[in-house]
Amino acid sequence: LVPSVSHHFRTPLAAIKGVISSMMIDEQLPTVERKVLLSSAYHETARLERMVSNLLDVTLLESGKLTLKQDYYFIPELVGNAIARTKELLDSRTVECKFDKELPAIKADGLLIEQVLVNLLENAAKYTPTDSAITITARKEGDAIRMEVVDQGQGIPPGEEQKIFDKFHRGARSGQGSGLGLAICRGIITVHGGSITAHNRDSGGAVFSFTLPFSATPDLTQEVAA
């Protein structure tokens, strides 16, 4: 654990320390420079926070102590929340959503499914050009809903289509993160009774696909009336 994450902790901490040091040395920094430094510190702090959160999530998943807080959710709601949470990371990328009409609601832990989508969007943003498009699709497939996050990046290195879901996996692509985001996705989808896979598109880019089972949505009309 320590060798795997130590570098990824030291980098943002060093950046934050550098910002504080610069502002302490020169207390008369122009406003514009101060804003740039503070923005840098903010983003590094957010990066560090995501890594700590990922570590805690992995611990809960592996210990079997993750308790699902399930309720009925509609896919567009979960996707919209995930896009809002990753707005800054997505930068100038275009996100297109393609959903089948009349998708059934799923009974799931909404926050955890949102986290899966957030991790996949972060992954797509990390390995794609800033002016590229990301497509999120959802369709009914038997007794499950299949969702896909499709990007226009370099794709997945051959032979790593399954390995990238392993904890602390170091892929052939440079700039890899802590190696936890996709492992968490697999853990969350698995405890929901679904599955997750990844493959490359013939036209370029990667496709991350996962399924979520659904059951009959309860009749809410009586509850609303009550």
Side-chain angles (χ1 to χ4, degrees), residues 127-144:
Y127 298 117
T128 58
T130 56
D131 59 347
S132 63
I134 298 171
T135 304
I136 303 174
T137 67
R139 63 181 182 273
K140 186 178 177 182
E141 194 173 271
D143 58 354

Side-chain angles (χ1 to χ4, degrees), residues 163-188:
K163 294 179 182 177
I164 57 176
F165 292 102
D166 294 340
K167 187 175 59 175
F168 302 128
H169 173 68
R170 285 294 174 271
R173 293 182 293 188
S174 60
Q176 292 260 7
S178 61
L180 292 173
L182 293 179
I184 290 170
C185 289
R186 181 172 63 180
I188 291 174

Side-chain angles (χ1 to χ4, degrees), residues 31-216:
T31 302
V32 174
E33 291 186 22
R34 289 177 63 87
K35 286 184 177 180
V36 171
L37 287 172
L38 288 172
S39 176
S40 174
Y42 173 82
H43 288 297
E44 292 297 336
T45 302
R47 177 184 170 191
L48 189 61
E49 183 181 36
R50 288 196 299 272
M51 285 191 287
V52 172
S53 178
N54 282 342
L55 283 170
L56 293 174
D57 288 342
V58 164
T59 301
L60 288 173
L61 285 166
E62 292 191 341
S63 66
K65 295 181 179 179
L66 184 68
T67 303
L68 297 181
K69 299 177 181 178
Q70 293 184 310
D71 204 341
Y72 286 94
Y73 293 90
F74 289 102
I75 295 300
E77 174 190 2
L78 298 177
V79 171
N81 291 341
I83 292 174
R85 288 172 57 184
T86 53
K87 184 178 180 180
E88 291 186 2
L89 289 172
L90 293 173
D91 197 17
S92 59
R93 293 170 184 80
T94 301
V95 179
E96 183 179 8
C97 297
K98 297 180 179 180
F99 304 145
D100 279 357
K101 293 182 179 180
E102 299 181 359
L103 280 174
I106 58 169
K107 188 175 184 180
D109 188 314
L111 289 177
L112 290 181
I113 300 304
E114 277 183 26
Q115 189 60 50
V116 169
L117 292 166
V118 166
N119 287 1
L120 293 179
L121 287 171
E122 287 181 353
N123 189 74
K126 190 183 300 180
Y127 298 117
T128 58
T130 56
D131 59 347
S132 63
I134 298 171
T135 304
I136 303 174
T137 67
R139 63 181 182 273
K140 186 178 177 182
E141 194 173 271
D143 58 354
I145 290 178
R146 179 173 295 279
M147 298 191 65
E148 294 180 342
V149 177
V150 185
D151 65 48
Q152 297 178 347
Q154 297 178 354
I156 304 164
E160 294 190 9
E161 290 84 353
Q162 294 303 317
K163 294 179 182 177
I164 57 176
F165 292 102
D166 294 340
K167 187 175 59 175
F168 302 128
H169 173 68
R170 285 294 174 271
R173 293 182 293 188
S174 60
Q176 292 260 7
S178 61
L180 292 173
L182 293 179
I184 290 170
C185 289
R186 181 172 63 180
I188 291 174
I189 295 301
T190 299
V191 298
H192 278 84
S195 61
I196 184 168
T197 59
H199 64 273
N200 289 322
R201 297 194 305 164
D202 293 336
S203 57
V207 179
F208 288 85
S209 176
F210 64 89
T211 59
L212 290 170
F214 67 85
S215 54

